[in-house]
């Protein structure tokens, strides 16, 4: 016997042998068992065709649930019109032994005429009388030319099915064959035959969707007919036509019963949210969860999962969890449920998870798919999930939980707080100002004064981030007018207004003028954070020294601070401390300020603190750190507008010799219509450095002068932020205009001596020395080197050594000049400044000298501190742990590791061990 069915040769052989046995006069019952869709009916049809070809008379019937009310319905279908039954009806419960005997005699009369095959499809659906009759017939056919072949559904369901027809028969009277699912290879052959040009990946995707079921396989082939193999296999039933596949899945679920269908669909709904689950689910835990959610028997649910996995409809993932074999199958299973029913399932799963103590995010993910719950536990879970997601650095997940929380019934004050958080997170995680309407809505709701202030600051930050600085300040001032009797909150809003005004020079002047006048009249009106902003303003205006600024700020930091105002004080103090080259103190203030920030609320000082952290790394010459933090560190930035991190990254790329990347970064911003801001000024300065390095001196001069014009318009005169005057002076010198260069350098030195830090004074002295020339120029250059030797401004010291080396060599003091150039080269190599190192090497060659010390590369070049820190890092210690062990700042650890990476020629921590061993 042979047929077109794949992987059914053993069944064909069995049936062929039994046909021959019947022809020889010895009958038997053959039972073909299998789950829904495994091809029982197709195999029976093949057997019928073979029996007919071999001369057997075939009697056939297909059982149906609709026929169970009529006794002997199945048998009457088999035997055809029976004269003895004409006009006779046998009701349920009546004595049917006589009827059974008459039917048996009729079947025997057929067998007396020649061999007979009785084929019964879906015998498990037969009426009780027919089932008993078939079992009795099976006991008597062993000496008759009569072959009974029946198919029986044997799928594992949640609700147990009645016992099959074979339980009362001896094994010698029956041959049972269970149909297994198709193998992947057999399925693949069928798909390849239908789509010869399909790729292996496409075919494998189809095989997964068919799940080893002949029913699903042929239905999918029907839906994919005519589809190009290049088209991906769909993941949703909406992409299928005419819809044979979802119809087949629906039939499979209907035959399994309501309890099984509910578990199957609940599993599909759960699996959709498990895609992003934060904790893996074991198979046993999944069975218990489904049973709880569906009010089922855990043992039966577990058995069903095992059975479906063996059938191939479910497949274990890497964690051993059963999942639907393909997203299309999962979608087809869910297609039979309405949206409301799915929501009910998600709620049931959420409650089951809560009862067994699952993590809040697992529960919350189920609530995302549910309708409003209206009970306190749901809101508590969603709010706790927001906190967990934010701590894990997943703001997009937090946004989803907050949106779902707002669907619950809420009092106005709580709605106001949640809207403020949601608007803040939506603004920072989206390219569009989607969060601003949320914040506007929150500000209009009744709230406690402190909550109102938080919302106003968040809305002001968002508006300023979109370039609407004047509107942002107006929002804060309107809120201020609604807070009589709350001086602390009023001061906080005033400070926030002054800080946000930094983005617009006109608004900035008005804000600081008001702040200064208020401080003169009544200092208590501006508070410590307002006083700190005035110190910062005086520093940038060139009116105060670094020592005096830090003295005033340290005094302000000792005063008690309101929690809402403290971030402004810390952030302002950190910025000024960085300008004053108090880098360790600045770093501590930054970390303290960031620790006080609520990640779910927009606050202007968060970005300011991140900017200062970047400033500190740049001031240390930690170029790798600067580049590692770009561009992801900036949280609030208008699209297409360069930020502080971009400016520092541009400079770092130039310093490390990556000018092509620097050019690409600079060209990525169109500055023609960019709104005014201090960040734009800093980027102009950085672009000027790039242009000067590229040899475009005139272009560099334009950028430096434009930076200076904009800074001066903002009353930012001191070189603490951007030393544009000395940069422009160097351009003037390169263009052969020493008189203009001298004027610019003298003005910067005057302002630098007011601020009086080695970095600003040393730089101004260096450029003034170059512009002055002669003996006086040498003296100024030497003073610059002396001033910078004990400062953290390593790059400025290297530049001063280079300039002094040039001048000494040109004046005839070649030995001293070469010493300066060699030291500059060594320091540039340690710092990692390829630009300065190239200048130093070129200068040495021009001076007829060469490096007398070996290059500072390889493990042997590490200093003692660098090696000790590197060895601790290899042991698995974090930077914080290393800093605590060695009693140094964490930034010091980072600086030493960066230097060690550079010397060892590596880029990441995992390469340290091998590099040290070499």
């Amino acid at each position: 016997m042979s047929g077109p069915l794949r992987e059914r040769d053993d069944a064909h052989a069995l049936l062929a042998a039994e046909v021959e046995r019947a022809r020889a006069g010895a009958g038997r019952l053959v039972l073909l068992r299998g789950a829904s869709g495994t091809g029982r009916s197709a195999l029976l049809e093949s057997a019928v065709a073979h029996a007919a070809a071999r001369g057997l008379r075939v009697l056939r019937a297909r059982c149906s649930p609709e026929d169970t009310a009529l006794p002997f319905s199945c048998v009457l279908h088999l035997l055809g019109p029976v004269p003895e039954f004409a006009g006779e009806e046998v009701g349920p419960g009546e004595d049917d032994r006589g009827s059974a005997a008459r039917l048996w005699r009729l079947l025997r009369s057929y067998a007396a005429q020649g061999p007979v095959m009785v084929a019964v499809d879906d015998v498990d659906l037969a009426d009780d009388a027919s089932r008993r009759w078939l079992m009795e017939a099976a006991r008597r056919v062993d000496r008759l030319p009569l072959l009974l072949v029946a198919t029986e559904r044997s799928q594992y369901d949640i609700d147990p099915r009645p016992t099959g027809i074979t339980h009362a028969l001896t094994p010698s009277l029956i041959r049972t064959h269970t149909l297994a699912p198709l193998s992947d290879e057999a399925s693949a052959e069928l798909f390849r035959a239908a789509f010869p040009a399909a790729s292996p990946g496409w075919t494998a995707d189809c095989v997964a969707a068919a799940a080893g079921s002949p029913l699903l396989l042929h239905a999918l082939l029907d839906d994919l007919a005519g589809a190009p193999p290049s088209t991906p296999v769909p993941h949703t039933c909406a992409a299928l036509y005419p819809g044979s596949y979802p119809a087949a899945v629906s039939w499979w679920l209907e035959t399994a019963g309501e309890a099984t269908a509910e578990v199957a669909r609940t599993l599909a709904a759960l699996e959709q949210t498990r895609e992003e689950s934060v904790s893996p689910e074991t198979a046993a835990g999944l069975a218990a969860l489904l049973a709880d959610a569906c009010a089922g028997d855990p043992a039966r649910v577990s058995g069903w999962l095992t059975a479906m996995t063996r059938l191939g409809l479910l497949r274990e993932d890497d964690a051993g969890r059963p999942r639907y074999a393909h997203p299309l199958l999962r979608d087809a299973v869910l297609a039979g449920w309405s949206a409301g029913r799915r929501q009910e399932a998600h709620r049931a799963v959420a409650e089951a998870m809560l009862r067994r103590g699952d993590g809040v995010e697992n529960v919350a993910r189920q609530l995302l798919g549910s309708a409003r719950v209206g009970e306190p536990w749901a809101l508590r879970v969603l709010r706790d999930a927001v906190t967990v997601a934010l701590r894990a650095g997943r703001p997009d997940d937090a946004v989803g939980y907050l949106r779902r929380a707002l669907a619950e019934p809420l009092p106005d004050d709580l709605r106001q707080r949640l809207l403020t958080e949601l608007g803040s997170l939506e603004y920072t995680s989206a390219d569009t100002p989607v969060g601003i309407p949320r914040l506007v809505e929150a500000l209009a709701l009744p709230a406690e004064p402190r909550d109102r202030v938080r919302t106003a600051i968040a809305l002001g930050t968002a508006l300023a981030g979109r370039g609407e600085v004047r509107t942002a300040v107006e929002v804060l001032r309107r809120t201020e007018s609604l807070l009589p009797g709350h001086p602390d909150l009023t001061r906080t809003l005033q400070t926030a207004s002054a800080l946000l005004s930094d983005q617009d020079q006109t608004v900035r002047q008005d804000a600081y003028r008001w702040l200064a006048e208020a401080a003169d009249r009544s200092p208590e009106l501006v508070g410590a954070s307002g006083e700190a902003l005035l110190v910062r303003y005086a520093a940038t205006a060139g009116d105060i020294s670094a020592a005096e600024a830090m003295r005033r700020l340290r005094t302000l930091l000792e005063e008690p601070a309101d929690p809402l105002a403290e971030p402004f004080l810390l952030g302002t103090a950190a910025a000024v401390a960085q300008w004053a080259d108090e880098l360790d103190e600045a770093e501590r203030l930054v970390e303290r300020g960031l620790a006080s920030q609520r990640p779910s609320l927009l606050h202007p000082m968060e970005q300011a603190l991140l900017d200062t952290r970047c400033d500190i790394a740049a001031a240390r010459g930690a170029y790798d750190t600067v580049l590692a933090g770009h561009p992801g560190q900036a949280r609030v930035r208008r699209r297409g507008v360069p930020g502080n991190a971009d400016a520092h990254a541009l400079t770092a790329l130039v310093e490390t010799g990556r000018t092509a990347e620097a050019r690409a970064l600079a060209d990525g911003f169109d500055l023609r219509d960019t709104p005014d801001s201090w960040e734009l000024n800093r980027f102009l300065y950085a672009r000027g450095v790039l242009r000067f390095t590229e040899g475009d001196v005139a272009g560099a001069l334009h950028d430096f002068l434009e930076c200076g014009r904009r800074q001066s318009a903002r009353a930012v005169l001191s070189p603490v932020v951007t030393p544009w005057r000395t940069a422009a002076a160097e351009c003037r010198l390169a263009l052969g205009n020493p008189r203009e260069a001298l004027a610019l350098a003298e003005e910067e030195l005057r302002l630098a001596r007011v601020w009086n830090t080695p970095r600003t004074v040393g730089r101004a002295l260096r450029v003034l020395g170059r512009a002055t020339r002669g003996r006086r120029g040498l003296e100024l250059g030497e003073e610059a080197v002396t001033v910078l030797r004990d400062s953290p401004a390593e790059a400025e010291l290297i530049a001063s050594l280079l300039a002094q080396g040039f001048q000494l060599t040109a004046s005839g003091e070649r030995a001293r000049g070469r010493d300066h150039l060699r030291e500059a080269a060594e320091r540039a190599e340690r710092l990692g400044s390829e630009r300065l190192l190239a200048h130093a090497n070129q200068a040495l060659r021009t001076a007829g000298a060469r490096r007398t010390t070996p290059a500072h590369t390889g493990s042997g070049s590490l200093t003692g501190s660098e090696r000790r820190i590197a060895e601790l890092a290899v042991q698995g210690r974090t930077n914080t742990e290393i800093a605590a062990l060695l009693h140094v700042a964490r930034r010091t650890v980072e600086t030493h590791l960066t230097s060690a990476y550079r010397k060892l020629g590596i880029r990441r921590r995992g390469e340290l061990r091998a590099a040290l061993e070499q």
Side-chain angles (χ1 to χ4, degrees):
M1 178 180 179
S2 63
L5 301 181
R6 301 298 176 101
E7 297 187 328
R8 298 294 184 252
D9 291 345
D10 50 351
H12 290 161
L14 168 64
L15 290 167
E18 293 301 325
V19 165
E20 298 305 318
R21 191 170 184 272
R23 292 181 68 211
R28 187 143 48 193
L29 170 63
V30 176
L31 184 63
L32 303 175
R33 306 179 75 236
S36 297
T38 50
R40 302 187 313 272
S41 297
L43 181 60
L44 183 62
E45 290 296 323
S46 178
V48 165
H50 176 73
R54 295 294 292 165
L56 274 69
R57 179 178 184 177
V58 177
L59 306 176
R60 56 196 299 184
R62 175 169 293 169
C63 302
S64 170
E66 288 76 19
D67 297 333
T68 55
L70 180 64
F72 296 110
S73 173
C74 171
V75 181
L76 290 173
H77 280 302
L78 276 171
L79 301 179
V82 181
E84 298 178 52
F85 280 77
E88 178 181 348
E89 293 185 4
V90 182
E94 297 182 20
D95 185 2
D96 57 6
R97 285 176 295 178
S99 298
R102 281 178 284 168
L103 291 169
W104 172 247
R105 287 195 298 271
L106 179 59
L107 180 59
R108 286 193 61 177
S109 69
Y110 290 158
Q113 300 171 15
V116 176
M117 176 182 183
V118 174
V120 182
D121 201 7
D122 293 327
V123 70
D124 51 296
L125 301 179
D127 61 277
D128 290 341
S130 294
R131 287 163 60 85
R132 288 193 297 271
W133 187 88
L134 287 168
M135 284 190 289
E136 287 299 322
R139 292 190 179 96
R140 304 175 183 179
V141 298
D142 56 332
R143 295 185 180 180
L144 294 174
L146 182 59
L147 173 62
L148 298 179
V149 181
T151 68
E152 182 180 70
R153 181 180 179 278
S154 61
Q155 185 169 301
Y156 191 103
D157 297 320
I158 302 299
D159 289 336
R161 291 299 180 102
T163 306
I165 68 171
T166 63
H167 70 285
L169 299 176
T170 61
S172 61
L173 298 177
I174 186 170
R175 295 292 301 274
T176 301
H177 181 82
T178 300
L179 300 182
L182 292 179
S183 68
D184 287 353
E185 181 53 37
S187 298
E189 287 180 10
L190 289 168
F191 281 110
R192 283 194 291 266
F195 300 95
S199 68
W202 190 89
T203 302
D205 216 15
C206 289
V207 168
S213 166
L215 171 71
L216 299 186
L217 188 151
H218 290 289
L220 185 58
L221 283 173
D222 186 35
D223 282 340
L224 294 178
S230 58
T231 304
V233 177
H235 284 194
T236 62
C237 294
L240 297 178
Y241 182 80
S244 301
Y245 184 86
V249 173
S250 177
W251 176 83
W252 165 62
L253 290 172
E254 288 174 5
T255 61
E258 290 186 8
T260 300
E262 183 175 8
V263 170
R265 288 172 172 141
T266 302
L267 172 63
L270 175 60
E271 189 174 298
Q272 284 185 322
T273 56
R274 270 177 27 195
E275 295 288 346
E276 302 296 334
S277 180
V278 295
S279 62
E281 179 74 72
T282 64
L286 177 61
L289 177 62
L290 289 171
D292 190 357
C294 300
D297 181 353
R300 295 294 301 179
V301 173
S302 179
W304 181 81
L305 291 173
T306 300
M308 294 305 102
T309 302
R310 290 181 177 175
L311 285 175
L313 294 163
L314 302 179
R315 299 192 179 189
E316 291 185 350
D317 61 12
D318 294 339
R321 302 174 299 185
R323 304 172 68 89
Y324 280 100
H326 193 274
L328 181 62
L329 175 57
R330 181 182 66 204
D331 187 70
V333 168
L334 276 175
W337 256 0
S338 66
R341 188 63 190 87
R342 296 186 196 190
Q343 290 175 342
E344 292 174 10
H346 282 297
R347 172 175 174 160
V349 172
E351 291 185 281
M353 284 181 165
L354 192 65
R355 282 192 291 270
R356 72 176 190 176
D358 272 23
V360 291
E361 279 209 87
N362 283 336
V363 182
R365 288 183 191 281
Q366 298 305 316
L367 290 176
L368 292 178
S370 76
R372 173 189 294 199
V373 175
E375 296 182 15
W377 67 266
L379 185 59
R380 184 180 66 253
V381 164
L382 289 165
R383 295 186 69 188
D384 288 347
V386 171
T387 302
V388 172
L390 289 175
R391 286 176 179 170
R394 291 182 281 105
D396 289 344
D397 289 345
V399 165
Y401 301 141
L402 281 169
R403 288 174 180 167
R404 175 60 184 81
L406 285 167
E408 294 293 317
L410 300 169
D412 282 345
D413 58 341
L414 180 54
R415 181 173 294 277
Q416 193 270 352
R417 292 197 296 274
L418 295 183
L419 277 170
T420 301
E421 290 189 59
L422 178 57
S424 297
L425 290 172
E426 284 180 331
Y427 179 82
T428 57
S429 61
D431 289 336
T432 58
V434 64
I436 291 179
R438 305 268 195 192
L439 295 170
V440 171
E441 181 184 355
L443 196 59
L445 289 173
E448 292 293 322
R450 283 186 171 274
D451 291 329
R452 186 182 294 276
V453 169
R454 289 189 181 97
T455 304
I457 290 175
L459 178 56
T461 304
L463 290 169
R466 301 296 300 177
E468 302 174 39
V469 179
R470 191 173 296 276
T471 305
V473 172
E474 288 174 359
V475 166
L476 296 177
R477 288 177 178 169
R478 280 201 306 270
T479 306
E480 180 185 334
S481 67
L482 300 175
L483 298 172
H486 295 279
D488 289 347
L489 299 179
T490 299
R491 286 194 292 268
T492 299
L493 287 171
Q494 291 166 351
T495 304
S497 297
L499 186 67
L500 291 176
S501 71
D502 278 343
Q503 299 292 337
D504 186 295
Q505 65 185 35
T506 304
V507 181
R508 181 177 188 268
Q509 290 172 359
D510 294 340
Y512 279 94
R513 185 184 303 112
W514 181 92
L515 201 62
E517 291 172 356
D520 288 340
R521 292 194 312 270
S522 304
E524 69 277 2
L525 292 179
V526 299
S529 56
E531 291 281 1
L533 283 178
L534 288 173
V535 171
R536 191 187 71 163
Y537 187 88
T540 59
D543 296 336
I544 192 174
S545 70
E548 177 61 17
M550 290 307 299
R551 184 191 66 78
R552 292 185 190 180
L553 287 172
R554 288 177 179 126
T555 301
L556 293 172
L557 287 166
E558 292 174 358
E559 297 179 9
D562 182 271
L564 282 178
E566 187 179 38
F568 294 102
L569 177 59
L570 293 172
T572 304
V576 176
Q578 183 268 316
W579 295 337
D581 276 341
E582 300 285 350
L583 300 184
D584 286 344
E585 184 170 357
E587 188 173 46
R588 287 193 294 271
L589 290 168
V590 165
E591 300 307 322
R592 182 178 161 192
L594 288 173
S596 69
Q597 294 289 308
R598 286 178 59 180
S600 60
L601 291 179
L602 269 176
H603 197 288
M605 195 46 71
E606 180 181 5
Q607 185 59 45
L609 288 162
L610 293 173
D611 284 332
T612 301
R613 175 188 278 174
C614 191
D615 294 343
I616 294 168
R620 285 192 165 112
Y623 305 124
D624 288 350
T625 302
V626 170
L627 294 173
H630 178 267
Q633 72 150 308
R635 181 181 176 188
V636 181
R637 180 181 303 165
R638 282 167 280 159
R639 189 173 184 179
V641 178
N644 185 61
D646 298 307
H648 282 308
L650 187 57
T651 304
L653 289 170
V654 172
E655 291 297 332
T656 53
R658 297 150 66 179
T659 53
E661 294 178 56
R663 172 48 57 194
L665 175 59
D667 290 345
F669 295 99
D670 185 352
L671 306 185
R672 289 174 294 183
D673 298 320
T674 302
D676 174 70
S677 72
W678 67 268
E679 293 169 304
L680 172 60
N681 300 344
R682 180 162 283 180
F683 192 81
L684 282 169
Y685 179 86
R687 193 176 70 174
V689 173
L690 170 62
R691 284 179 164 178
F692 190 86
T693 303
E694 292 175 327
D696 181 11
V697 180
L701 178 61
H702 173 273
D703 279 347
F704 293 139
L705 292 178
E706 179 63 14
C707 171
R709 183 189 68 77
R710 290 172 174 269
Q711 291 287 70
S712 299
R714 297 167 60 85
V716 178
L717 305 178
S718 175
V720 295
V721 180
T722 48
W724 63 270
R725 293 179 185 83
T726 47
E730 291 187 303
C731 292
R732 293 291 192 193
L733 287 172
L735 293 172
N737 300 314
R739 186 182 300 276
E740 291 88 341
L742 189 63
L744 287 166
E746 287 175 341
E747 176 64 9
E748 180 144 318
L749 180 59
R750 182 186 69 78
L751 291 166
R753 289 200 185 279
V754 174
W755 185 243
N756 202 31
T757 58
R759 187 188 301 271
T760 55
V761 172
R763 177 186 174 88
L765 285 169
R766 166 174 61 82
V767 178
L768 182 59
R770 287 191 59 209
T772 303
R773 301 182 183 179
R775 180 53 55 185
R776 178 58 182 158
L778 286 171
E779 292 173 355
L780 291 170
E782 197 62 44
E783 184 181 355
V785 171
T786 302
V787 166
L788 287 164
R789 279 205 181 277
D790 295 326
S791 80
E794 184 72 5
E796 292 297 346
L797 173 58
I798 296 167
S800 294
L801 287 166
L802 280 171
Q804 188 68 351
F806 273 117
Q807 289 182 279
L808 288 169
T809 302
S811 66
E813 299 185 52
R814 302 176 68 83
R816 287 186 61 207
R818 290 169 178 170
D819 288 344
H820 278 67
L821 295 175
R822 289 192 183 98
E823 183 182 355
E826 293 167 9
R827 287 179 177 273
E829 189 171 43
R830 285 199 296 269
L831 184 65
S833 175
E834 296 293 334
R835 182 182 68 88
L836 291 173
L837 178 60
H839 284 313
N841 287 333
Q842 179 61 39
L844 283 168
R845 286 192 294 271
T846 302
R850 60 185 178 83
R851 298 278 294 279
T852 57
T853 56
H856 287 257
T857 57
S859 60
S861 67
L862 299 182
T863 66
S865 297
E866 289 169 347
R867 177 169 289 279
R868 176 60 176 154
I869 288 172
E871 289 172 347
L872 289 171
V874 167
Q875 295 172 15
R877 308 268 190 178
T878 66
N879 290 357
T880 302
E881 291 171 339
I882 295 171
L885 283 170
L886 302 181
H887 304 289
V888 296
R890 185 172 62 86
R891 185 63 69 186
T892 301
V893 174
E894 293 175 357
T895 301
H896 280 73
L897 279 176
T898 299
S899 177
Y901 291 172
R902 187 180 303 115
K903 292 178 179 180
L904 296 171
I906 62 176
R907 288 186 173 272
R908 55 187 62 88
R909 208 181 194 96
E911 299 174 89
L912 261 177
R913 183 183 301 277
L916 288 177
E917 290 174 353
Q918 289 176 1

